[in-house]
Every structure is written in C-alpha cells, then in structure tokens.
Amino acid sequence: MERTKIVLDDNELPRQWYNLAADLPTPLQPPLGPDGQPVGPEQLAPVFPMNLIEQEVSTERWIDIPEEVLSLLSLWRPSPLYRARRLEQALGTPARIYYKHEGVSPPGSHKPNTAVPQAWYNKQFGIERLTTETGAGQWGSALSFACSLVGLECKVFMVRISFDQKPYRRLMMEAWGGTCVPSPSEQTKAGQAILAATPDTPGSLGIAISEAVEAAVSDSSGKTRYSLGSVLNHVLLHQTVIGLEAKKQLEKAGEKQVDVVIGCAGGGSNFAGLAFPFICDKINGAEIEIYPVEPTSCPTLTRAPFAYDHGDVAGMTPLLAMHSLGHAFVPEPIHAGGLRYHGMAPLVSAAAVEGLITPRAYPQLKCYEAAVKWARTEGFISAPETAHAIAAVIDEAEKAKQEGKEKVIVFNWSGHGLVDLAAYDAYFQGKLVDHELAQEDLEKSTAVLDNLPKPSTAKTGKW
Amino acid sequence: MVDEAAGKQGIAAHDGRQRHCPMLGQGVGVSYCRTPGDPCPCRKIFDCWFETFDIEGFITTHYSESEIGQITHPTASRLATVLEAVARAKGDLK
C-alpha cells in the first residue's frame, strides 16, 4: 500500500521556533507612531506581557520552545503531512502534492499553535486571565482551549450576532471553560455606550476589540492581558512549527527538494507558519517558489505598493510599513473593491519586497471550485480561506503536467470548514460572482500614500 | 443608478439576502451589514455585495454623503486598532 500520511513521533516536535526576522536580508522596519517615531514596547505593555513583547521585537534566529509548551502542543502535534494522491490522480499530474493537516487540533485549525504558547507565556508572567474578541469563534475557541490547558481564565467578547446565531464555537469555548460574552456588553464602558445608543445592535468586530482591550487595560490588579491571533511577529513565530515539522516529514518521505510552497494569506499567520522555514532555505540558496495566495478582489500583496500607511483616515493610528491599498481609499466606482482589510503582517510584506515570496491572487469562484474538487478527491471539507491555497496548488500541479516535471508541491491545509458551510451553500446556489480591482482604481487609492514617510524598499536583488 | 427595489421597498429591501461574512466567519444577511457601524453600515458592505445587487445605488439612496465617507474609510490594521483601543480605554482618546 502506498503511503498517504507521514507522521512524526512526539519527541520529534521542533524544539525551537524559527524567526525570519533574523535572516531577512534587509532588517524589518518598525511600526511608527503618528509622530513618526517607532512604536515601542511600552505602548504594547498594557495589552501584552513582556515575555511576548520580547519575542515580538526579537531578531534571534531560533527561540527555544519551553518544555511545558512542547508537552501541550503534543496533544495534537506533530500534525500529519499527507500526500494528496487522489488529487494527483484526478489531475493526472506528475507532481507530488503534500499538505500539512492543521485541522487535527482540537479547535480544528492552526490557531492553537500560537494560542497555547501565548497562554503559557502570560501565565509565566503572572497573568491570571486573558481577553480577546472573536467573530464566529475561530480564534475565541482556540484561545479558550489554550487557557484551559494552562489554567488561565479566558474571556471572549463575541460579536452579538454570532453569539446569538452560531452556538457551536461558543459552546466549544464554554466546554473549555472560557467565558463567552456577547458584545457589546454591559461589562465595559465601550459596550455600555453602544448599548445606550443602540440597544438592539448586532455588534461588530471593532466593538468587540474595544471591549476586549478595555477589559484588559482597565483591570486594576494588572493580572489581565489581551491576546491577538494574527498579524504580529510573535504570532507568526509560533506558527513556524508547521513548516519545521513539514521539512522533517518531507525528508522521511524521501523528498530531497521542495519546488513549490503555498499558503493562503489573510492575516499572514498560516502562510508564515509553513513558509518561513522554507524561506530560510531559499535565503541560503535553495531554489523554491513560495506563493502566498490572496483573493483577487483584495490584492494587498499582489498589486498594492509597499509604504508606511495609517490605519485610519484621520491619521490617528500608528504608521506601519506594509503593502497597502491606501488609508483613504475611496474606489471609483465605490463598489470596485479595496475596502477590505488592507494590511499584511510586516514580516510577510518584507519577504515580498525582497522577492523571497511571489504573491498570487485568485478569484473566489475558482477557489470554491478547487475546494469542491478537493472534497471529492481528498475528502476533507476546507475552510474558505484554505480554498485559496488549494486553487494555487491545482494550478501548479497542472503546470507541472504541462511541463512534464515531477515537482514537489507543499501547502498548508490550515483548517476544516465544517462550521463554514454557508459559504459553500452560496457557491452551490450560484450566488457568487468574481470581481477584480481595476488598475485605475488602484492608482487612485494609493495616491494618498504620497505624503507619508517612505519605508526603505532596498533589496539585495538576489531573488 | 439607484436600485429600483431599494427605492420602492426602503432600507430593508435587501435584508433577506445572505452571504458569508469574511469578518465574522459566518453567514449574515444585509440586515446585519447595514447596522454594525451604526448608524453606518459595515465598511466592507460594498466589497461583499456589489456582485449580488446594486449596493452602490442602495447606499447612495439611504445614506448621507458624510455617512458614505465613513463607510469608505478602509479598516485599520489590527495592531493599529488595538493601540487605538488601548488609548481610548486609558482615556487618552475619546
């Protein structure tokens, strides 16, 4: 029988996280405040413990994973590396396709890879409770799970409409001992103000963030902190266990070279988790194509320039060096896209500027088509975000077929979509259509960046 | 161009339409999308619905120019949002 899964023993879990910041040919540029000065640790201290802030700013290449964290991660890690043989057969490709199955964690995604160490470091710092926000509950359930493992209280401000309509992840949080509060709530000033004005509001992620942060900052005991599941450097760092395991597993599978690495790029953490250890190889001479994949209608990496940009039109929020569509983007026509999340994790942006990764964008119909093909070959129902990676994998496998090359393709299957089936329903019912941002609209949107400080886009030119 | 259905049936004309919300990670109706920034709709309302119906016409029919200006502000980066919330919680911002 041909081998489908490559598994590692518990004692083969990586002992260190890999920090790409140490190896970037050009140093990572710090976020700037409205005054043009770098955001310092003191600004992060009210919400994050100092041991995580140290990781956030660290330029050490390898950071030891504490034994206790390893023990906790071993509940579901090392995650299996699968060979997607049935998809290969369906495509008739000579490529060998591998995927890291991150859906095996208790909450069903890659998110506990950082939730667990974050909870543990907070505990070590003397913190007794964590707060966070969540929409339908993906991150909230991961953090509740993590807090249950280390003995922290966890309070999750869940957007009210999700709290009311989507009980499953809320119940998961409660099963793990977390306290799930519908947001807005009466527990914070921010929530009280919203409820006073609009008692029937369904809430929003922005309100939930405000409540979670306020709940942490206003605790006079100093024993509460806030936790974030994407974008930040230490979040990406914790996710690198994915790629480090994958390298060991590929070696066990007898693969001497990886040709293509693929991950979907949202907040950046699941892409980074798989890709950063391979970027390290690329920096050291390996020939690997590395593709973060994003939606065509939100071309943050593929078409937006790299610049310092505010997060708001008023310019009150700190400047961050990132690929941005512009902070005052008003598309013409206004429905032309670009209003989506316009930032990307700074480490991912920096790797793109250097040419170490090659961003790609895919339209949503192609992604759902790929996800359905995946379900009908490999069996697993993919999260909507993961579908972007699958679309790129299929393209690369078909390209290998055309070229007659036995390429090795690795991607991150970041989570299952079993509680995201409404998206599939919309696809099956033909309610989705594609859209791509016009170049003219893009140029208009980015003109607002002209008067802001310019980050260095110097690169070595090696990639 | 103003959406005829929206004009005839008012602001709730499209409330029954459903789609997956990329922010929340679940299905929502237009009834949600037009409320979370109360009195303004979600900032992603154009992105999410332009493929399905005339959202531009709907918005220009039911919202003022200043409200539309608020809608079209891009979402802040997550770190920026958090630091702003810290400042607000500490009373540095109103």
Side-chain angles (χ1 to χ4, degrees), chain A residues 411-432:
Chain A
F411 82 102
N412 195 17
W413 197 80
S414 53
H416 69 67
L418 297 176
V419 286
D420 301 302
L421 292 174
Y424 282 85
D425 187 40
Y427 172 68
F428 290 137
Q429 293 190 41
K431 292 180 178 176
L432 305 179

Side-chain angles (χ1 to χ4, degrees), chain A residues 110-111 114 118 132-133 139 226-232 235 239 269, chain B residues 78:
Chain A
H110 66 292
K111 291 179 185 288
T114 185
Q118 284 194 50
T132 197
E133 75 287 339
W139 170 243
Y226 167 78
S227 182
L228 188 56
S230 63
V231 176
L232 298 184
V235 176
Q239 293 291 355
S269 74
Chain B
R78 186 58 63 91

Side-chain angles (χ1 to χ4, degrees), chain A residues 26-164:
Chain A
T26 47
L28 191 64
Q29 297 168 64
L32 304 180
D35 57 358
Q37 298 302 308
V39 172
E42 71 283 355
Q43 287 168 273
L44 301 173
V47 275
F48 302 116
M50 197 50 69
N51 46 19
L52 285 178
I53 293 173
E54 287 168 2
Q55 289 186 358
E56 182 65 22
V57 300
S58 173
T59 54
E60 293 292 317
R61 180 173 293 107
W62 297 100
I63 294 177
D64 290 342
I65 306 176
E67 282 295 326
E68 289 180 52
V69 173
L70 285 170
S71 175
L72 297 171
L73 292 175
S74 72
L75 280 172
W76 74 97
R77 304 208 72 86
S79 68
L81 181 77
Y82 276 68
R83 173 90 180 264
R85 292 187 184 276
R86 289 175 57 82
L87 179 66
E88 290 172 15
Q89 289 163 8
L91 297 173
T93 179
R96 296 189 291 281
I97 302 170
Y98 295 91
Y99 63 100
K100 277 295 272 184
H101 193 318
E102 291 298 307
V104 297
S105 74
S109 76
H110 66 292
K111 291 179 185 288
N113 296 334
T114 185
V116 166
Q118 284 194 50
W120 187 85
Y121 279 107
N122 272 282
K123 178 87 170 181
Q124 294 301 303
F125 194 68
I127 298 305
E128 295 177 356
R129 66 193 66 81
L130 288 179
T131 66
T132 197
E133 75 287 339
T134 198
Q138 291 93 335
W139 170 243
S141 58
L143 191 66
S144 292
F145 162 68
C147 286
S148 75
L149 295 183
V150 306
L152 287 181
E153 295 176 33
C154 182
K155 179 174 283 188
V156 181
F157 290 88
M158 188 175 191
V159 178
R160 176 177 288 278
I161 186 174
S162 301
F163 185 93
D164 291 341

Side-chain angles (χ1 to χ4, degrees), chain A residues 210-291:
Chain A
S210 292
E211 290 207 88
V213 169
E214 182 185 325
V217 172
S218 63
D219 177 7
S220 58
S221 74
K223 299 290 187 184
T224 304
R225 289 293 185 277
Y226 167 78
S227 182
L228 188 56
S230 63
V231 176
L232 298 184
N233 295 348
H234 69 268
V235 176
L236 275 52
L237 174 81
H238 298 155
Q239 293 291 355
T240 60
V241 289
I242 301 171
L244 295 168
E245 286 177 6
K247 289 172 72 170
K248 287 185 185 179
Q249 289 162 312
L250 287 163
E251 192 178 324
K252 285 197 171 191
E255 301 293 359
K256 293 184 170 54
Q257 179 178 338
V258 172
D259 299 293
V260 180
V261 173
I262 293 170
C264 55
S269 74
N270 105 68
F271 166 75
L274 177 67
F276 280 9
F278 289 96
I279 293 176
C280 175
D281 290 350
K282 188 166 182 173
I283 290 170
N284 289 296
E287 292 186 8
I288 310 174
E289 294 297 331
I290 302 173
Y291 300 120

